Amino acid sequence: MISKFLASQLRQPSGWFGKQIISRVLNRDNASMNKLALRMLNLKSADERVLELGFGGGYLLNRILKNPGVKSVAGIDVSPEMVDFCKKRFASDIKRGKLQLNCCNTVNIPELNGNFTKICTVNTIYFWKDVKQTLTQLHQILEDKGSLVICFNSKEFLKQTILPKHGFQVYDIEEVKELMTTVGFKNLKWIINSQPKEQFICIVGEK
């Protein structure tokens, strides 16, 4: 019962527990992935427009917003509590038009207001109902030469947890590489972190 509740909160933080506890857990436990994702985004131009899919407690959003080369940032998250939490946390960025946050469980292209130079997502691929369709949509809203960064825990690592029993769809690196290539991403690069307590993969693909 407890494991099912925790899995559901990791999927979609909700209520007081989601806002006060899970938001902090996500920021802490995803810190290594988020730092690597930020590095792989390679935000060096003066006109970066970035989308984060599944921003949770806003750890990575915060670092993206502080990057001097970033012109605008958008975020999508399935949890109303996380959206509300980050709207308050980043109220000044929203007020000056640098940040746009949306609550939805799909990539709603019309609401995103244009294309992006970079897209990133950390620990969300397990919850996508149709991975190929989502990747296709993300490819569609990227500018030419834009890139997508995906970070996720390895299949082998997650199989040692209770999460696959509660709806987490797990993937290995070859499966994700094949899906990205199929929808049009090219020049794939990846880093594998194989530390015992942090076994994750970060893949970058270019449009």
Side-chain angles (χ1 to χ4, degrees):
M1 193 72 175
I2 293 176
S3 62
K4 184 177 181 180
F5 171 74
L6 290 175
S8 69
Q9 284 288 329
L10 290 172
R11 176 191 295 272
Q12 182 177 336
S14 60
W16 178 90
F17 189 82
K19 187 179 292 187
Q20 299 299 326
I21 305 300
I22 296 298
S23 63
R24 291 175 171 83
V25 169
L26 292 174
N27 283 345
R28 183 197 66 201
D29 291 356
N30 292 344
S32 295
M33 278 195 197
N34 283 321
K35 289 175 182 176
L36 180 56
L38 183 64
R39 178 157 63 91
M40 299 293 270
L41 279 170
N42 194 30
L43 300 172
K44 292 185 177 180
S45 83
D47 189 30
E48 298 282 14
R49 296 177 302 286
V50 186
L51 168 67
E52 182 179 7
L53 181 60
F55 50 80
Y59 182 103
L60 184 53
L61 271 183
N62 185 45
R63 280 147 183 78
I64 292 171
L65 285 163
K66 288 181 177 179
N67 192 292
V70 172
K71 181 179 180 181
S72 63
V73 182
I76 297 173
D77 202 282
V78 68
S79 168
E81 282 79 6
M82 293 299 94
V83 175
D84 181 61
F85 177 83
C86 285
K87 280 186 175 180
K88 293 176 181 176
R89 179 179 180 182
F90 302 111
S92 61
D93 294 294
I94 294 172
K95 186 175 181 179
R96 62 194 178 104
K98 188 172 183 177
L99 176 64
Q100 173 192 358
L101 299 178
N102 289 296
C103 183
C104 57
N105 58 7
T106 59
V107 181
N108 193 331
I109 294 173
E111 289 185 2
L112 291 174
N113 192 27
N115 290 350
F116 298 91
T117 60
K118 304 287 172 62
I119 300 175
C120 60
T121 185
V122 175
N123 272 342
T124 67
I125 193 171
Y126 330 111
F127 314 125
W128 300 353
K129 291 183 178 180
D130 188 326
V131 175
K132 185 176 180 180
Q133 180 183 21
T134 300
L135 287 172
T136 299
Q137 292 174 316
L138 295 177
H139 187 272
Q140 182 179 342
I141 59 177
L142 268 176
E143 289 192 349
D144 289 339
K145 304 296 183 181
S147 58
L148 167 67
V149 177
I150 303 178
C151 287
F152 59 100
N153 283 119
S154 68
K155 178 183 287 188
E156 294 76 14
F157 178 74
L158 286 177
K159 279 186 173 179
Q160 300 173 39
T161 73
I162 53 87
L163 298 177
K165 296 179 181 179
H166 297 294
F168 281 53
Q169 297 298 316
V170 295
Y171 301 90
D172 62 34
I173 185 171
E174 295 303 324
E175 290 172 319
V176 177
K177 284 164 58 180
E178 182 178 355
L179 283 162
M180 292 178 71
T181 301
T182 299
V183 305
F185 286 98
K186 55 190 179 182
N187 299 328
L188 300 187
K189 300 177 183 177
W190 57 90
I191 292 177
I192 300 175
N193 187 317
S194 56
Q195 296 179 22
K197 293 184 178 181
E198 290 188 312
Q199 297 179 30
F200 61 83
I201 300 155
C202 189
I203 302 180
V204 182
E206 183 181 286
K207 182 170 180 178

